[in-house]
Every structure is written in structure tokens, then in C-alpha cells.
Amino acid sequence: MTNQTNEGLTFLLQNNREKLIFGVLKKMTLNQSHPLYDDFVQEARLAFSAAYDHYPKSIETNEQSFMVYAYQRVYWRLLDLINRQSNQQAHLEPTGDDSVDITDSIIDLTLQTQDTIAEKLFTEQLFKTLYDLCSNVEQHYLIDCYIRHRSVTKIAASHHVSRQTAYNWRNNVGKKALLVIAQMNQE
């Protein structure tokens, strides 16, 4: 384990920052009854540490922005692990027609659909709450970024502002998003 990794893990364990990891796990509906829960927690900690190592700015002066960045990195890492696990299980399962139980397949599909619907509802609620908290220019940024999937450079060009201004909008929206996520996790 490198010294930077130690610094990242130390940073994670200070000031109750580990809530971020459990927030990601909760968003992904991974609870303690999952057989690989402890493995996912450890992977999330390592992903947070990797985010700490690769964050391009000073973390001390941009902690809110870093936490948004780390949340996303942890989420993507766990999502990648879950997808790999699903692919491995799909390759191990028998493929003969007589060995497939249609009832189990329908139940699995229904559970996946419910998880997808729940995630969409959470995302929509987060977006609406965040949108209401944002200023007019931050609302435009949200729409351009999350609905139109534009890059910061394209957002800056379309609003005739510098990229730094667009990055400032992004940072302000990120800070507000952290507050909204924290409030939603408390409920």
C-alpha cells in the first residue's frame, strides 16, 4: 500500500466522510444481507482512495467538489464490479432450454425493473430538489449537463462565458447536490 493510498484512507476515515461510501451502497440497494457486502465496502474504500490520489485540484480548498468527484468514482467502480459479477454468472449458468426456469427469470426481471424504477425516481427527485435550490444560471447548467449531456466547454460556449465560469457553476451545483443527498439520506 502506497503512502498516497494511506493518506486517502486516512482522509476517508476523518470527519465522518465514510458516510459517502454507505450512501453509494444505499443508492445501489446493496445492504448487509448481500453476500458480498463487505467486499463492496472494501472496494468502495479503495475507489475513494484512488479518487483521492487522482483528484487534480487541492482537496483542502475544494473538499465539496472532491466529495462529489469521489462519490461518482466509487459509484462507477461498484457498478463495474456488479456488472462483471453478473457477466460471470451469466457465463456459468446452463443455457439449455429445459434447465431454464421461466418463473425465476420473470421474478429476476421484475426485481431489476423495480430497482431501475426506484433509481430513476431517486434521480428525478434529486434533480427536482437540486433544480429548485439553484440560481438561474446554475439551472441552465444542470439542464445542459444532465439533460443535454453537454461538456463544460460546450456549456461555456453556448452561454458565452469562460470555461472557468462554467466550472464555477459546476462546483456550486456539486456543493448543493451534496447537501441534497445528505438530506435525502437522513430521511
Side-chain angles (χ1 to χ4, degrees):
M1 199 178 300
T2 67
N3 196 24
Q4 276 189 319
T5 304
N6 286 337
E7 289 175 19
L9 292 174
T10 302
F11 182 80
L12 172 65
L13 297 174
Q14 294 171 345
N15 297 331
N16 209 13
R17 291 185 186 104
E18 203 168 20
K19 279 185 175 180
L20 178 135
I21 288 176
F22 298 112
V24 171
L25 291 167
K26 184 176 180 181
K27 177 182 179 183
M28 299 179 87
T29 63
L30 294 170
N31 57 33
Q32 292 177 342
S33 65
H34 192 282
L36 298 175
Y37 179 79
D38 291 331
D39 294 335
F40 285 130
V41 170
Q42 292 302 327
E43 285 292 336
R45 288 177 179 143
L46 292 173
F48 183 93
S49 180
Y52 183 89
D53 292 345
H54 294 99
Y55 190 66
K57 299 178 186 175
S58 168
I59 294 173
E60 289 76 30
T61 58
N62 299 303
E63 185 173 339
Q64 293 289 340
S65 176
F66 167 72
M67 294 301 279
V68 171
Y69 173 80
Y71 184 93
Q72 201 61 43
R73 290 279 303 253
V74 169
Y75 179 80
W76 287 335
R77 175 66 180 143
L78 294 181
L79 192 60
D80 185 45
L81 289 172
I82 291 170
N83 286 338
R84 283 184 189 171
Q85 181 186 22
S86 296
N87 288 339
Q88 287 175 350
Q89 285 178 350
H91 290 294
L92 295 175
E93 291 177 357
T95 57
D97 286 34
D98 53 350
S99 65
V100 175
D101 186 358
I102 293 202
T103 307
D104 288 344
S105 299
I106 292 172
I107 290 171
D108 288 345
L109 183 59
T110 304
L111 291 174
Q112 289 174 359
T113 305
Q114 288 174 347
D115 289 345
T116 305
I117 290 170
E119 188 172 320
K120 281 185 179 183
L121 289 173
F122 177 82
T123 304
E124 287 177 15
Q125 181 185 6
L126 173 63
F127 184 85
K128 288 176 185 176
T129 306
L130 184 57
Y131 185 84
D132 291 339
L133 288 176
C134 289
S135 67
N136 193 26
V137 290
E138 292 168 348
Q139 289 174 346
H140 289 295
Y141 173 83
L142 265 176
I143 291 170
D144 284 345
C145 184
Y146 294 105
I147 307 242
R148 296 183 183 133
H149 303 289
R150 292 183 178 166
S151 68
V152 172
T153 303
K154 288 183 181 179
I155 293 170
S158 69
H159 292 283
H160 307 291
V161 297
S162 69
R163 284 188 349 196
Q164 183 59 49
T165 301
Y167 279 113
N168 289 342
W169 294 344
R170 182 189 71 177
N171 292 340
N172 291 340
V173 169
K175 289 175 187 176
K176 291 176 182 178
L178 279 175
L179 293 173
V180 171
I181 290 170
Q183 288 174 347
M184 292 173 88
N185 284 338
Q186 290 176 355
E187 295 173 357

